[in-house]
Amino acid sequence: AIGAFVTIQGRGGGASKRSTKFLFVTAHMAAHVQNVEARNEDFWRIASELEAQAPPRFLPRTAATARVGTDDEGEDEDSDGISQEGGTALLNNCDYIFFCGDLNYRLDLPREVAEHSVSEIQRLLQDTTEGGDHTGIKNKLDTVDQIRRKLLRHDQLLSVMAEGSAFPGFTEGKITFDPTFKFDKGSSEYDTSHKQRIPAWTDRVLYRTGRDDSDNNSDRPLSARVLEYKSVPGAMHSDHRPVYATFRVSMAGIKMKNKQDLSSGTQEKNKTKSGEEETGTQKKKKRKKRRRDNANKELEN
């Protein structure tokens, strides 16, 4: 796994000047459908290792100075003597965590069921591209959504997240793409080898938000919006399909603007800019007038 610790300093004064702490992680976790527990252990190991390497500002003050102590029985405990999973101090002290990669969680379904469902989704989506009335297209898209949701009920990662066995507090954008594993290389066909691996969404982008405690009177959640979450089906150089996501996030101490606020802000910015340009023009005129006045005085002398 690779982790990147990023701090963005706020501008202005007061609460808005508080820095926002981001942690970006990419990982390749344990393979094979039966190894759910090994993948969960991978997550906690990665979190613990990153905590041990984290810059002090990414940890609570007590943990940053003493890191994590050990009680008499060898369990991790924080400064208050409360036992906790390794990595918890880091997870709880970051404003945003983005965790992505080949997480390798699979579908707990027979291959025939998963493959039939994916084929049905592809058929319905192909039908929508061939035209038809608005109602008919909408019905087909609704059916696609229902089939995909049924498949995801058997998704190991979503089950693990719901149980809290790994990725506590993480969430994910809506999945609207086909399973990203396992393809024949250079082909859009799912695994035709003798192993006949079950199609699954092994490649994921998860995120977790902290709380904005920059204002003593406020402890509101920080906000992240998923703008897009997609796969790249045309990238056939691997047996996986790459996945990417785009987010809009709020900064600590600054409330995220909605569309109306953004529009008003743009108008106000334009007004301010125009005002600055006008003031600059006036200053130039005054300087020219002073130069002319000075030149006239010299001629008179």
Side-chain angles (χ1 to χ4, degrees):
I2 298 174
F5 299 90
V6 179
T7 302
I8 299 179
Q9 183 69 46
R11 294 181 178 179
S16 64
K17 199 171 182 180
R18 178 189 179 283
S19 61
T20 306
K21 294 169 291 189
F22 294 82
L23 171 60
F24 299 90
V25 185
T26 181
H28 184 188
M29 298 168 74
H32 306 304
V33 67
Q34 71 274 17
N35 288 337
V36 177
E37 189 58 37
R39 289 187 273 279
N40 296 347
E41 290 172 2
D42 280 348
F43 168 78
W44 289 111
R45 175 183 53 79
I46 290 165
S48 181
E49 290 174 356
L50 288 173
E51 183 178 287
Q53 302 169 41
R57 64 181 175 274
F58 277 80
L59 298 172
R61 286 182 183 176
T62 51
T65 54
R67 288 293 167 168
V68 179
T70 304
D71 65 14
D72 293 337
E73 296 179 4
E75 294 181 344
D76 289 339
E77 66 177 10
D78 63 17
S79 59
D80 297 322
I82 302 171
S83 294
Q84 60 177 1
E85 292 273 8
T88 303
L90 174 63
L91 296 177
N92 290 339
N93 205 54
C94 289
D95 294 314
Y96 295 99
I97 304 174
F98 296 92
F99 201 116
C100 64
D102 180 5
L103 307 187
N104 248 324
Y105 288 91
R106 310 300 176 92
L107 288 178
D108 285 323
L109 282 173
R111 173 172 170 120
E112 311 82 63
V113 175
E115 196 168 35
H116 173 76
S117 297
V118 173
S119 297
E120 185 64 10
I121 287 172
Q122 293 173 341
R123 184 189 67 78
L124 287 166
L125 289 175
Q126 179 61 36
D127 288 348
T128 63
T129 64
E130 296 173 357
D133 64 281
H134 175 76
T135 303
I137 291 175
K138 184 179 181 302
N139 289 339
K140 288 175 182 176
L141 292 176
D142 288 344
T143 303
V144 165
D145 200 40
Q146 291 170 10
I147 296 172
R148 193 178 285 122
R149 283 203 306 269
K150 286 181 180 178
L151 281 175
L152 287 168
R153 286 174 193 161
H154 304 275
D155 179 76
Q156 293 176 345
L157 178 55
L158 293 181
S159 297
V160 162
M161 290 166 67
E163 295 165 0
S165 305
F167 298 97
F170 280 81
T171 188
E172 181 179 25
K174 182 179 179 181
I175 292 177
T176 59
F177 46 87
D178 289 343
T180 58
F181 174 85
K182 179 184 193 304
F183 291 89
D184 294 338
K185 286 187 179 180
S187 165
S188 58
E189 295 292 326
Y190 287 102
D191 188 16
T192 58
S193 73
H194 67 281
K195 294 183 178 179
Q196 293 282 292
R197 291 182 180 86
I198 302 164
W201 286 278
T202 57
D203 308 276
R204 312 286 274 270
V205 180
L206 310 180
Y207 66 100
R208 170 176 164 148
T209 60
R211 301 190 70 81
D212 186 359
D213 58 0
S214 54
D215 183 343
N216 291 332
N217 299 317
S218 172
D219 187 25
R220 63 178 177 272
L222 287 163
S223 190
R225 296 178 190 162
V226 183
L227 302 182
E228 55 182 350
Y229 186 29
K230 299 178 180 179
S231 70
V232 187
M236 300 184 183
H237 56 282
S238 167
D239 55 357
H240 291 254
R241 294 294 179 264
V243 167
Y244 67 94
T246 306
F247 298 87
R248 173 178 289 155
V249 301
S250 63
M251 302 297 284
I254 303 174
K255 185 179 178 182
M256 184 186 287
K257 296 180 178 180
N258 56 33
K259 289 182 180 179
Q260 184 175 355
D261 292 335
L262 290 171
S263 176
S264 300
T266 301
Q267 292 173 7
E268 188 62 33
K269 184 178 179 182
N270 290 337
K271 286 180 184 177
T272 304
K273 187 176 179 182
S274 298
E276 288 171 352
E277 290 174 353
E278 184 179 353
T279 302
T281 302
Q282 289 174 348
K283 287 180 179 178
K284 286 180 182 178
K285 288 180 178 179
K286 288 180 180 178
R287 283 197 295 269
K288 285 182 180 179
K289 186 176 184 301
R290 281 198 298 269
R291 283 198 294 268
R292 283 198 304 269
D293 291 343
N294 291 335
N296 289 334
K297 286 179 181 178
E298 290 176 2
L299 288 173
E300 289 173 0
N301 294 332

